[in-house]
Amino acid sequence: MTLSFRTRFAPSPTGYLHLGHVASALHAQQMACGGAYHVRIEDCDQMRCRPLFSVALEEDLRWLGLWPQGEVRRQSEHKHEYHAVLAQLRERGLLYPCRCTRAEIRAASDGRYAPDGSVYYAGSCRGRCYDAAGDSVVWRLDMQRALDVVQEEPGWWEHGRGRIMGQAAAFGDVVLARRDTGVSYHLCVTHDDALLGVNRVTRGMDMFAVTSVHRVLQVLMGWPEPEYAHHALIMETDGRKLSKRDGAMGVRVLRAEGWSAEAVLAHPHVRCVLGDNVRVSFGRCARD
């Protein structure tokens, strides 16, 4: 018997869609195995997200046949839900305010980095008494206290690879509420995946390492553990991940050049991400 899953494609409207997004959306749809495929708009960062890009995103996904039939969740409309989760974590003594600047964090890290390449936060503000009013602080998860509560380093099941050991402790005290948005990616995505009943999380390999952090939040909040299916990334020739700034690979550019939706979906870069054995001339396909 073939199992069906509930998956989601979760773009941020900070630019126009490119082929990397197409591959990610198609991967999510295929990984549902006939189950439910959702789109979620991650637009909490009002400084970078633009209504223009949100409209274009929907137009392009509809043209490609990758826009779902059901309701589309927009994170900016649900910030009160994320704040409620933050309040619970504060009440449990698992969050603390931090006023460190980027320069101070880098100086205190002594050259140490988290598994995702971010600068490790050494906990300089942990235990300090701050007036946390206003927008001058971020809120950090006390990772060691959180791991003491869950009594383990939670791992996860990766599609095609089996059980992966977690390494959340190596991330240090991650930010769960930023100064500018009041929330964070880690908080919003884990909350929304649980709320929507997503039981197979599909996303790029650039998010593979932070799954350790997300698993800690899921255990802390009693949210279900999903399966994960991280896909390869389209890389530029210099080794960087394909960016929204790269207009040549943009869906709108390809449409203007006369490409059909079927041709875009069959583009070698998209097939590479999906695991097809094809030659990619633009750059390369990175899996880990």
Side-chain angles (χ1 to χ4, degrees), residues 2-17:
T2 301
L3 295 177
S4 61
F5 293 87
R6 186 179 294 268
T7 64
R8 87 291 191 274
F9 171 54
S12 295
T14 58
Y16 293 113
L17 287 187

Side-chain angles (χ1 to χ4, degrees), residues 25-91:
L26 194 57
H27 179 255
Q29 188 183 65
Q30 292 185 354
M31 283 287 104
C33 299
Y37 157 77
H38 298 271
V39 167
R40 181 172 73 226
I41 308 300
E42 299 189 344
D43 59 349
C44 282
D45 188 344
Q46 297 296 292
M47 295 296 291
R48 298 176 61 237
C49 297
R50 296 286 185 271
L52 167 69
F53 296 137
S54 185
V55 171
L57 185 156
E58 179 175 347
E59 290 177 352
D60 288 343
L61 288 177
R62 286 188 183 278
W63 178 72
L64 290 164
L66 293 172
W67 190 259
Q69 295 295 321
E71 181 182 355
V72 171
R73 182 178 175 88
R74 299 179 186 275
Q75 287 185 336
S76 60
E77 300 173 355
H78 301 276
K79 284 192 174 182
H80 63 285
E81 298 175 22
Y82 312 132
H83 293 159
V85 176
L86 289 168
Q88 291 182 49
L89 294 172
R90 286 193 196 97
E91 291 172 1

Side-chain angles (χ1 to χ4, degrees), residues 21-275:
H21 298 115
V22 176
S24 189
L26 194 57
H27 179 255
Q29 188 183 65
Q30 292 185 354
M31 283 287 104
C33 299
Y37 157 77
H38 298 271
V39 167
R40 181 172 73 226
I41 308 300
E42 299 189 344
D43 59 349
C44 282
D45 188 344
Q46 297 296 292
M47 295 296 291
R48 298 176 61 237
C49 297
R50 296 286 185 271
L52 167 69
F53 296 137
S54 185
V55 171
L57 185 156
E58 179 175 347
E59 290 177 352
D60 288 343
L61 288 177
R62 286 188 183 278
W63 178 72
L64 290 164
L66 293 172
W67 190 259
Q69 295 295 321
E71 181 182 355
V72 171
R73 182 178 175 88
R74 299 179 186 275
Q75 287 185 336
S76 60
E77 300 173 355
H78 301 276
K79 284 192 174 182
H80 63 285
E81 298 175 22
Y82 312 132
H83 293 159
V85 176
L86 289 168
Q88 291 182 49
L89 294 172
R90 286 193 196 97
E91 291 172 1
R92 296 166 64 182
L94 295 170
L95 299 185
Y96 64 88
C98 170
R99 283 206 175 97
C100 292
T101 65
R102 290 184 179 180
E104 290 170 339
I105 293 171
R106 190 171 294 277
S109 70
D110 195 28
R112 186 176 176 184
Y113 290 87
D116 65 344
S118 61
V119 177
Y120 179 85
Y121 181 69
S124 304
C125 287
R126 191 188 312 119
R128 293 183 180 177
C129 294
Y130 280 141
D131 176 7
D135 58 1
S136 62
V137 301
V138 301
W139 286 90
R140 293 184 177 274
L141 177 69
D142 187 330
M143 185 61 76
Q144 189 53 61
R145 182 172 293 186
L147 290 172
D148 289 342
V149 170
V150 303
Q151 298 182 337
E152 64 174 342
E153 266 274 19
W156 73 93
W157 187 267
E158 181 72 21
H159 177 74
R161 295 179 62 171
R163 197 71 182 170
I164 304 296
M165 293 182 62
Q167 49 181 343
F171 280 85
D173 297 346
V174 297
V175 173
L176 292 190
R178 291 165 43 185
R179 289 185 179 90
D180 51 355
T181 64
V183 294
S184 75
Y185 172 79
H186 301 313
L187 176 76
C188 296
V189 299
T190 50
H191 171 275
D192 287 355
D193 286 342
L195 183 71
L196 294 173
V198 173
N199 55 7
R200 177 178 274 177
V201 175
T202 63
R203 56 192 183 191
M205 280 299 299
D206 53 335
M207 295 289 108
F208 183 86
V210 299
T211 306
S212 293
V213 175
H214 299 176
R215 286 290 298 121
V216 171
L217 291 175
Q218 288 162 355
V219 177
L220 284 174
M221 298 304 300
W223 294 330
E225 176 187 349
E227 176 183 296
Y228 287 83
H230 292 87
H231 61 73
L233 303 174
I234 299 175
M235 309 298 286
E236 301 192 61
T237 52
D238 61 1
R240 292 180 296 114
K241 182 180 73 170
L242 189 66
S243 166
K244 291 187 178 82
R245 294 185 296 273
D246 185 61
M249 293 291 103
V251 172
R252 303 228 132 189
V253 173
L254 297 176
R255 289 177 65 180
E257 291 178 351
W259 286 62
S260 67
E262 293 75 16
V264 172
L265 293 173
H267 192 285
H269 295 304
V270 174
R271 307 319 304 179
C272 176
V273 168
L274 297 176

